[in-house]
């Protein structure tokens, strides 16, 4: 029932947004739409995606992940696609890029560790990432997202502005069963901020 209500609200907000010409009201509708999309994503993440995982195959793939990406300069996160979307592991590059550590996040739900920045009323990181993960899981193909603002918390808990180029890839066993989702990101924050500053005429 809750999903139905959220989807109805999302459709309604999108319709209102197209019709709205008042800037203040449009901002309010965008905030409401972002919240509804976030709530739906979190609700669906709790159920996860359909995956029948063989523990042995899963462990083999997890070790392959560590062997292949542990020392890679590209940030990677390995995600369990089942209920809760729990983080299995991250490499050192991901730790550095997201200001966290494998010891702190392994076993935790993805969106508990990486929530939207509450100070950004129109934040859409959670909903867009979930949509991409869902596409990768259900279609069985990698999904490259557009550049996404998705702020992360530093050691003190304060949110730091970040922009990313994410790619989400399904990992299957020999029988074609979904084992994991591999989340790869490129931190493009400096490039985006430099481009914004140049557009604003800042030195």
């Amino acid at each position: 029932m809750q999903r139905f209500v959220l989807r109805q609200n999302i459709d309604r907000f999108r319709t209102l947004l197209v019709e709205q010409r008042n800037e203040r009201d449009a901002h309010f509708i965008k905030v409401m739409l972002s919240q509804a999309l976030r709530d739906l994503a979190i609700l669906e993440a709790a159920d996860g995606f359909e995956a029948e995982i063989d523990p042995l195959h899963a462990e083999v793939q997890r070790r392959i992940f560590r062997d292949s990406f542990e020392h890679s300069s590209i940030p990677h996160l390995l995600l369990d696609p089942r209920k809760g979307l729990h983080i299995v592991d991250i490499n050192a590059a991901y730790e550095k890029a997201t200001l966290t550590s494998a010891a702190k996040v392994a076993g935790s739900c993805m969106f508990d560790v990486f929530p939207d920045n509450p100070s950004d009323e129109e934040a859409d990181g959670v909903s867009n990432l979930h949509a991409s993960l869902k596409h990768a899981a259900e279609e069985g193909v990698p999904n490259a997202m557009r550049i996404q603002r998705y702020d992360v918390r530093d050691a003190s808990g304060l949110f730091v502005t970040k922009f990313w180029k994410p790619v989400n890839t399904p990992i299957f066993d020999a029988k074609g069963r979904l084992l994991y989702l591999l989340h790869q990101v490129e931190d493009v924050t400096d490039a985006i901020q430099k481009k914004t500053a140049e557009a604003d005429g800042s030195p």
Side-chain angles (χ1 to χ4, degrees), residues 8 22 38 52 95 98 104 107 183 198 203:
Q8 290 289 101
N22 182 288
R38 184 182 308 115
E52 185 181 345
E95 289 180 319
T98 59
K104 291 182 179 179
H183 176 59
E198 290 174 349

Side-chain angles (χ1 to χ4, degrees), residues 11-103:
D11 289 341
R12 177 168 171 268
F13 293 144
R14 283 174 170 162
T15 299
L16 288 173
L17 197 57
V18 171
E19 299 172 348
Q20 187 53 247
R21 297 181 182 276
N22 182 288
E23 186 174 338
R24 184 181 64 180
D25 290 344
H27 170 69
F28 175 75
I29 295 170
K30 286 180 181 179
V31 171
M32 296 298 290
L33 175 59
S34 295
Q35 182 63 58
L37 287 168
R38 184 182 308 115
D39 289 346
L40 181 60
I42 292 173
L43 189 63
E44 292 187 342
D47 290 339
F49 309 117
E50 289 188 14
E52 185 181 345
I53 295 178
D54 181 303
L56 178 59
H57 287 146
E59 177 59 21
V60 169
Q61 286 296 332
R62 187 190 69 80
R63 292 182 180 180
I64 291 174
F65 163 76
R66 292 303 297 176
D67 292 343
S68 301
F69 303 117
E70 185 172 7
H71 302 295
S72 172
S73 60
I74 301 173
H76 287 88
L77 174 151
L78 198 63
L79 190 68
D80 186 332
R82 294 174 296 179
K83 289 185 177 182
L85 301 185
H86 293 85
I87 297 170
V88 177
D89 210 346
I90 62 177
N91 67 355
Y94 199 93
E95 289 180 319
K96 182 178 179 180
T98 59
L99 310 177
T100 188
S101 69

Side-chain angles (χ1 to χ4, degrees), residues 136-195:
E138 294 182 351
E139 299 300 323
V141 294
N143 183 261
M145 298 173 62
R146 296 179 179 178
I147 291 177
Q148 173 71 53
R149 176 177 174 178
Y150 203 139
D151 300 343
V152 297
R153 290 176 289 196
D154 62 16
S156 66
L158 296 176
F159 279 86
V160 177
T161 300
K162 288 282 188 175
F163 291 88
W164 313 92
K165 286 179 66 176
V167 178
N168 298 300
T169 304
I171 296 177
F172 301 97
D173 65 12
K175 295 183 179 180
R177 295 175 297 191
L178 181 64
L179 289 177
Y180 296 116
L181 290 167
L182 184 62
H183 176 59
Q184 172 187 319
V185 294
E186 177 185 352
D187 186 347
V188 294
T189 306
D190 290 344
I192 294 297
Q193 291 180 334
K194 180 180 179 181
K195 185 176 180 179

